[in-house]
Amino acid sequence: MLLKAALTSFRRSDSLAAEPVSATYDVSLKHLAAYDEVCGFGLRDALPLTYPHVLGFPLQMELMTGAGFPFPLPGLVHVANRITQSRPLTLDEPLEVTVSARDLRPHPQGTQVDVVTSVSGVWEGVSTYLRRTGSGSSSGEELQRPAGSAVWRVPADIGRRYGAVSGDRNPIHLHPLSAKLFGFPRAIAHGMWTKARCLAALEGRLPEAVSVDVRFKKPLLIPGRVEFSAREDANGWGFAVWGKGPHLVGSARSSTP
């Protein structure tokens, strides 16, 4: 997988022609338990909201390393993720997973594209990726640091542990030396681990039909110490992870019409 990803470095395209890829999966209790442990979820029949993203990761990589995907994978930045489900998926049901790409569009810093993972008609994850080719500002937004609800100490091995259960063994997450090759002072946590850890902290408090939208901000260097904040309002929950600056900002809202 890493070799195929590296070979995409020579890819240059202004069009999106990736064909959807599909597969059916049965959930492994052993794998689910390992994922729950790494991310902080309790083991239940209902799957954690972020788990189908991991289940679909091989298909995501198949699509993104295929000929129709426009961007090289090295340097591609995962800037946002939105998950919407109409009901929880369960441990005992076979899951029909389809991954597609859509909405190639300009961005002040380059070009964005959405990689969409759909599961059994009830769950959808939209990962937005940015290919940086310019130096423009991503947003004029000024974020205010919220009051922390909890302090998390993120261990140095969380990238390797999450990489083992997710299949995402990008070198920037695994070791300080490999991360330095890509310009980071040390390894960084996976954005989807950070999102999963937030949802684990809110477990039992979100509606079953829910949409959770996050934006990934500054990389979370590991080991690290961050503050998690969460606040409920009339529309649902807002939450964030901050260190010296924002790492993740998100919201969870009911998806029931």
Side-chain angles (χ1 to χ4, degrees):
M1 184 185 72
L2 290 175
L3 177 59
K4 288 180 70 176
L7 290 175
T8 66
S9 299
F10 304 101
R11 175 190 289 163
R12 296 291 184 274
S13 176
D14 296 324
S15 62
L16 177 62
E19 293 293 330
V21 290
S22 301
T24 300
Y25 296 100
D26 291 318
V27 177
S28 159
L29 179 59
K30 181 179 179 181
H31 182 259
L32 177 61
Y35 177 86
D36 287 344
E37 181 180 2
V38 169
C39 298
F41 291 105
L43 183 59
R44 295 177 172 84
D45 287 338
L47 302 181
L49 190 62
T50 46
Y51 183 74
H53 175 88
V54 166
L55 203 63
F57 183 74
L59 294 179
Q60 296 161 21
M61 290 303 300
E62 180 180 343
L63 180 137
M64 295 171 74
T65 56
F69 193 76
F71 300 141
L73 267 64
L76 200 61
V77 183
H78 191 185
V79 294
N81 177 268
R82 182 178 69 254
I83 293 173
T84 303
Q85 72 174 19
S86 57
R87 65 162 176 85
L89 296 164
T90 59
L91 174 62
D92 59 354
E93 63 181 302
L95 303 180
E96 299 174 0
V97 183
T98 298
V99 175
S100 59
R102 70 188 185 200
D103 198 12
L104 190 67
R105 59 197 185 273
H107 182 274
Q109 293 180 317
T111 309
Q112 287 185 335
V113 68
D114 292 334
V115 174
V116 183
T117 304
S118 302
V119 182
S120 300
V122 300
W123 186 101
E124 181 182 80
V126 181
S127 291
T128 300
Y129 290 93
L130 169 66
R131 172 63 176 171
R132 285 199 178 106
T133 55
S135 57
S137 172
S138 60
S139 165
E141 177 185 34
E142 289 188 14
L143 297 174
Q144 302 243 340
R145 186 186 190 106
S149 306
V151 174
W152 295 345
R153 284 179 170 80
V154 185
D157 67 348
I158 198 64
R160 294 188 291 276
R161 292 171 58 207
Y162 183 79
V165 298
S166 69
D168 185 354
R169 293 182 173 88
N170 188 322
I172 64 176
H173 302 301
L174 303 182
H175 193 276
L177 292 178
S178 57
K180 285 179 180 178
L181 294 175
F182 293 87
F184 296 97
R186 57 185 191 268
I188 64 174
H190 294 73
M192 288 303 295
W193 173 84
T194 310
K195 179 173 183 175
R197 183 67 186 86
C198 291
L199 294 183
L202 294 172
E203 196 168 25
R205 289 183 275 183
L206 301 181
E208 292 189 341
V210 67
S211 182
V212 180
D213 204 339
V214 304
R215 290 164 291 151
F216 302 115
K217 298 297 186 179
K218 297 175 182 283
L220 199 172
L221 298 173
I222 50 178
R225 178 186 179 278
V226 295
E227 289 185 355
F228 168 72
S229 64
R231 182 176 180 179
E232 189 176 17
D233 58 30
N235 297 315
W237 286 85
F239 56 93
V241 176
W242 282 67
K244 292 183 178 179
H247 298 297
L248 176 152
V249 178
S251 63
R253 305 287 184 252
S254 170
S255 62
T256 303

